[in-house]
Each structure stands twice: as structure tokens, then as C-alpha cells.
């Protein structure tokens, strides 16, 4: 069932690229900055692979299931997280010798925000525009969004390596994470739920 509900090939490809990146021979004197940027690249790769989690070529069949829309979406998101979180955890373990724990923590927040934002774009494309395979559009949006974030000027910078700028930058990352979570929750709401409630109220108070 999961093979029909999700497109797993991009996640497999992203895993291979991440493995190659982690297997790159590190110099003993490698800069911690290089490690942080490597984690940021891995976060983008995982987001690109996870963006296909809501692709559903069998939507016409699945939509007739008695299972709620939220349950179906959470199932797909759960599969995506079950892949992305372990890969990210291994990446942190590999990079830990070169990067201070605080940078591992900040990088994890950036990854969570990017991943949630990518999935929320896929959910919006599937819900508002009726796309059964929004992964391609999501990938384009993720790359474009990453470039926009990367180009933000100093006062608004989110990708920063200056310790004094970490607080404000990661407040913005936290807001992005929260926005992504809200969008995912809102787009997983069954559209017929409101109609059913309005129908019950009309029936109950009809003269």
C-alpha cells in the first residue's frame, strides 16, 4: 500500500547522495564551517526527497477510502519522517567530531524548518490546486526558497555563521517551522467536515 501512496525513488536518490557526501574523506584540520555547510546541503537534499511524500498517483482510488484525509496525510508524512530523521541523525553523528554541539542543534532546527516548509508547499499544491503529484513543483519551490534565504541581507540573514547573529536568525527559523506545521495541519483538514457541521446546524435549527 505504501508503495502506491508515496514516491520513494527521490528519497532513495537523496540518501545515496547524502551517503556520498558523508563518505567524503575529511581532512583532520577541516574547518567546522565546512561541516555546517555540509549539514545545510544535506538538509536541502532531505527536503527535496521528502517533498515527494504527498505524491499520490492513485488519489482517485485512495480518496474513496473511509479513512480520513488527515489520517492519510499523516501516514505519508510519517513514512517520510521515518526515512529523513534517521538519515539526519547519522549525518549528525558523522559530523560531530568537527562541529560543536550548539551548531549541531542549530543545524537541526534549520533542517526541521526546511523540511516542514517543503512538505507544506506539497500539501498546498495537492489541496488547493488538486495536483496528485506535487513533488516536482515542491522541489522547484524548495530550491528557489533556499536561494532566497541564502541571499537575505545581513540584518535578515538566516544562514549565518556568526554566533552573535544566531539568536535572531533562528527565531526566524522557528517561525518558519511553526508556519509549516500550521499549514500542514490546516491542509489535512477534511473539506467535508465543515459542510457536515453546517448541515447539522441547519437541520437542527430549521423552522
Amino acid at each position: 500500500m505504501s508503495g502506491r501512496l508515496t514516491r520513494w525513488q527521490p528519497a532513495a536518490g537523496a540518501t545515496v547522495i547524502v551517503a556520498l557526501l558523508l563518505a567524503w574523506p575529511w581532512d583532520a584540520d577541516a574547518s567546522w564551517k565546512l561541516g555546517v555547510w555540509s549539514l545545510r546541503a544535506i538538509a536541502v537534499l532531505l527536503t527535496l526527497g521528502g517533498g515527494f511524500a504527498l505524491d499520490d498517483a492513485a488519489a482517485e482510488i485512495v480518496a474513496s477510502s473511509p479513512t480520513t484525509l488527515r489520517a492519510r496525510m499523516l501516514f505519508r508524512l510519517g513514512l517520510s519522517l521515518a526515512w529523513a530523521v534517521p538519515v539526519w541523525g547519522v549525518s549528525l553523528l558523522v559530523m560531530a567530531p568537527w562541529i560543536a554541539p550548539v551548531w549541531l542543534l542549530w543545524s537541526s532546527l534549520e533542517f526541521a524548518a526546511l523540511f516542514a516548509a517543503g512538505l507544506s508547499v506539497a500539501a498546498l499544491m495537492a489541496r488547493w490546486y488538486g495536483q496528485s503529484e506535487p513533488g516536482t513543483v515542491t522541489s522547484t519551490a524548495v530550491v528557489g526558497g533556499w536561494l532566497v534565504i541564502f541571499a537575505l541581507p545581513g540584518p535578515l540573514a538566516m544562514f549565518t555563521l556568526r554566533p552573535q547573529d544566531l539568536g535572531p536568525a533562528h527565531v526566524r527559523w522557528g517561525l518558519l517551522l511553526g508556519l509549516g506545521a500550521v499549514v500542514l495541519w490546516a491542509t489535512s483538514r477534511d473539506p467535508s467536515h465543515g459542510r457536515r457541521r453546517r448541515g447539522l446546524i441547519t437541520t437542527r435549527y430549521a423552522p
Side-chain angles (χ1 to χ4, degrees):
M1 177 179 179
S2 60
R4 297 193 65 186
L5 286 177
T6 60
R7 190 180 298 280
W8 56 269
Q9 294 89 344
T15 303
V16 172
I17 299 175
V18 170
L20 293 175
L21 184 60
L22 293 176
W24 187 263
W26 282 78
D27 189 335
D29 298 325
S31 170
W32 63 270
K33 295 181 180 180
L34 178 61
V36 171
W37 280 107
S38 297
L39 285 177
R40 287 171 173 172
I42 291 172
V44 174
L45 289 170
L46 295 180
T47 302
L48 291 175
F52 291 83
L54 299 183
D55 276 24
D56 181 13
E60 293 80 5
I61 299 174
V62 177
S64 62
S65 168
T67 308
T68 64
L69 174 63
R70 179 160 292 165
R72 299 197 302 272
M73 179 178 287
L74 290 177
F75 174 74
R76 298 190 187 98
L77 297 182
L79 288 178
S80 185
L81 290 173
W83 156 73
V85 172
V87 174
W88 180 254
V90 171
S91 302
L92 293 180
L93 291 175
V94 173
M95 295 294 182
W98 291 275
I99 304 175
V102 65
W103 286 103
L104 297 177
L105 177 63
W106 291 132
S107 298
S108 297
L109 175 59
E110 293 175 9
F111 161 65
L114 279 174
F115 201 77
L119 290 176
S120 65
V121 171
L124 286 173
M125 297 303 298
R127 179 68 179 268
W128 285 4
Y129 297 98
Q131 294 193 9
S132 60
E133 299 182 359
T136 302
V137 177
T138 300
S139 298
T140 304
V142 168
V143 173
W146 192 91
L147 292 175
V148 169
I149 293 174
F150 180 78
L152 288 175
L156 299 176
M158 295 175 68
F159 286 127
T160 179
L161 294 176
R162 300 175 57 186
Q164 62 270 30
D165 295 335
L166 279 179
H170 286 93
V171 167
R172 291 188 281 273
W173 282 110
L175 292 175
L176 180 61
L177 174 60
L179 178 62
V182 169
V183 170
L184 286 173
W185 184 258
T187 52
S188 66
R189 186 174 183 270
D190 194 327
S192 64
H193 179 72
R195 290 196 297 269
R196 287 198 302 268
R197 290 196 62 182
R198 288 193 295 271
L200 288 174
I201 293 174
T202 302
T203 302
R204 182 175 179 180
Y205 296 104

